[in-house]
Amino acid sequence: MTHDNGFMNRRIMSFLNRKLLRRLLLFSAFLSAAGLLRLSRAVGLADAAANNVTASAVAVTVSNPTSSALQDFHTRCAQPGVVVCEGFDNASTFAQTGGRQGIHPSTSNGSVMTRDATTARSGTSAHCVVLAQTGPDACGSFKKGFGRIFGQNTTFYVQFAQKIDANVLNQHPTDPSGSSTFFKQQIIASFEGGTCASKELTTVNLYDRGFPSMYSQCGGDTFQIAIPTNDFLLEQGNQTKLLGDRVDSGYNCHYIKANNGPNSCATYPAGVWVTYYYKVQIGTWGSPNSNIYAWRALPNEGYKEWIKIQNHTLQNKEPGSGYDMIDLLNYYTGRDGGRAFGQTGATWYDELIVSMQPIAAPAVPPELP
C-alpha cells in the first residue's frame, strides 16, 4: 500500500509540474508580445511624426538583444521621428533585390558586401573587401530609401557606423594617369537624381588626405571656408572667434598643413568603429539659407563636430523634390584597375539610422570591434 501511495504521489507531482511549466511558457510568450507591442507603438509614433509627406513603416527586428551594444542600437531606433533603422542583422538585407534598394554588385569586379558576424558595432555588419587590385567600384554598394522625401524647409538626421582597416587607408591608389584618387564613404542623394548630382551630399577622403571631407554637386561644391592668410578650413567644427563662433570645439582642419596641430583634423583611425552623424537643414533650393553639420563619435566618446557649413546654397537641378536615399559604398573615381596598390583590406558598415529628430550617440562600446 505504501508503494502504491508513492506511485500516486509521483503522478500527481508530475501533473502539477507540467501544468506549472505550461503556465510559465504562456507567461513568457505574453511578455514577449507585450515588448513587441511597445516597440510597434514607438515605431508608430515615428511614422506619425511625418509632416508633409507620408512616411513608410520602419523595419525593426526584435531579437531580444544579448549585448548592451545591440540594446543601445534598438533604443536609438525606437525614438520618435526614426524613418530608417538598418542594423545589417538579417540575412534578407543581403539578398540582391535587382531594384533601387539593397545590395548592389560591384561594376568593377562583381563582388558584393556580405554579412559579417565576426566584427560589428552591434549584431552583425556589412563587410566590404577592398582588393589591392580593383577598378573604381571596390565592392558594390548598399542603397537605402528613406520612405519619404526631405525637400525645402525640412530637417533630417543621418547616423551610421563605419570601420576601415589599415590596409585600405594605406593603399593610396591612382588613376591611369598617375593622379591620386580616393574613396567615397557615403552619398545622401535621391533615386531620381542619382548620386553624382547637384543635390548630393557626399563624404569622401578628398585627395587622399587621410580625413573626411564633404562636397555637393558631384564634387563641384566643396564644403570649405576661406579664412585670412590665404588658408581654408577643410573641416570647420572648431571655428574660431574670428569666424563668429563663441565656442571652440570639434575639428578645425586647415588646408595649409603648417597651421594644423596634432588634433586639428578628424584623421581616420585604423580598425576603429567610428559613428558618423549628419544634420541637414534645407532652406530653399538655390538660396543661401541651408545648413549642413557633421559630427563623429569614437568609442566611449561623444560627438565631435567636423563640418559646419551655414547659410549655404543647395541646388536641385534633377528630377525629384529632395533627398530620399543614402548609398553606402567604397568607390574611387578613376581607380586604375590594371595595378595593385598596397594590400587587400576591408571596411565595414553598421547601425544606419535616419530620423526627423536628433539621434543620440552610441552609449556603449562596440560589441565586436
Side-chain angles (χ1 to χ4, degrees), residues 56-118:
S56 63
V58 184
V60 181
T61 300
V62 181
S63 56
N64 295 322
T66 57
S67 74
S68 56
L70 190 57
Q71 180 61 64
D72 175 63
F73 173 60
H74 284 185
T75 298
R76 281 178 278 141
C77 280
Q79 299 308 302
V82 171
V83 297
V84 170
C85 172
E86 177 56 70
F88 300 100
D89 298 326
N90 297 317
S92 59
T93 299
F94 296 87
Q96 296 180 42
T97 63
R100 299 195 300 181
Q101 299 194 62
I103 296 290
H104 292 258
S106 165
T107 56
S108 297
N109 56 47
S111 67
V112 296
M113 294 186 190
T114 57
R115 187 182 180 194
D116 191 347
T118 64

Side-chain angles (χ1 to χ4, degrees), residues 119-277:
T119 183
R121 184 68 188 65
S122 64
T124 58
S125 66
H127 180 206
C128 163
V129 174
V130 183
L131 298 172
Q133 184 169 345
T134 180
D137 190 0
C139 60
S141 66
F142 174 77
K143 295 181 180 180
K144 184 69 175 180
F146 297 163
R148 59 158 293 161
I149 296 173
F150 292 99
Q152 296 184 123
N153 302 309
T154 63
T155 299
F156 66 98
Y157 303 80
V158 176
Q159 182 188 79
F160 66 89
Q162 184 177 14
K163 184 171 86 167
I164 308 172
D165 76 5
N167 285 349
V168 171
L169 296 175
N170 291 324
Q171 285 185 356
H172 307 299
T174 65
D175 65 17
S177 72
S179 297
S180 174
T181 186
F182 34 86
F183 59 78
K184 300 176 179 67
Q185 296 171 250
Q186 66 81 14
I187 304 174
I188 298 169
S190 70
F191 285 116
E192 289 75 18
T195 54
C196 188
S198 67
K199 61 178 176 288
E200 65 167 305
L201 299 171
T202 296
T203 299
V204 58
N205 179 20
L206 195 60
Y207 299 116
D208 199 22
R209 291 176 173 136
F211 56 83
S213 299
M214 287 188 71
Y215 65 63
S216 187
Q217 299 184 42
C218 206
D221 176 19
T222 54
F223 290 179
Q224 59 188 31
I225 295 178
I227 58 176
T229 67
N230 298 317
D231 197 1
F232 294 87
L233 289 181
L234 307 178
E235 295 180 334
Q236 319 84 21
N238 184 11
Q239 294 188 46
T240 65
K241 294 178 181 179
L242 181 64
L243 296 175
D245 192 344
R246 294 181 298 171
V247 179
D248 288 341
S249 62
Y251 299 96
N252 197 25
C253 193
H254 292 257
Y255 172 74
I256 298 178
K257 294 182 180 179
N259 292 336
N260 288 324
N263 300 310
S264 295
C265 306
T267 306
Y268 293 114
V272 174
W273 279 105
V274 180
T275 297
Y276 292 91
Y277 178 50

Side-chain angles (χ1 to χ4, degrees), residues 4 32 53 69 96 127 161-162 169 171 189 206 291 296 336-337 344:
D4 291 341
S32 297
V53 183
Q96 296 180 42
H127 180 206
Q162 184 177 14
L169 296 175
Q171 285 185 356
L206 195 60
N291 304 311
R296 78 171 189 178
D336 185 355
T344 292

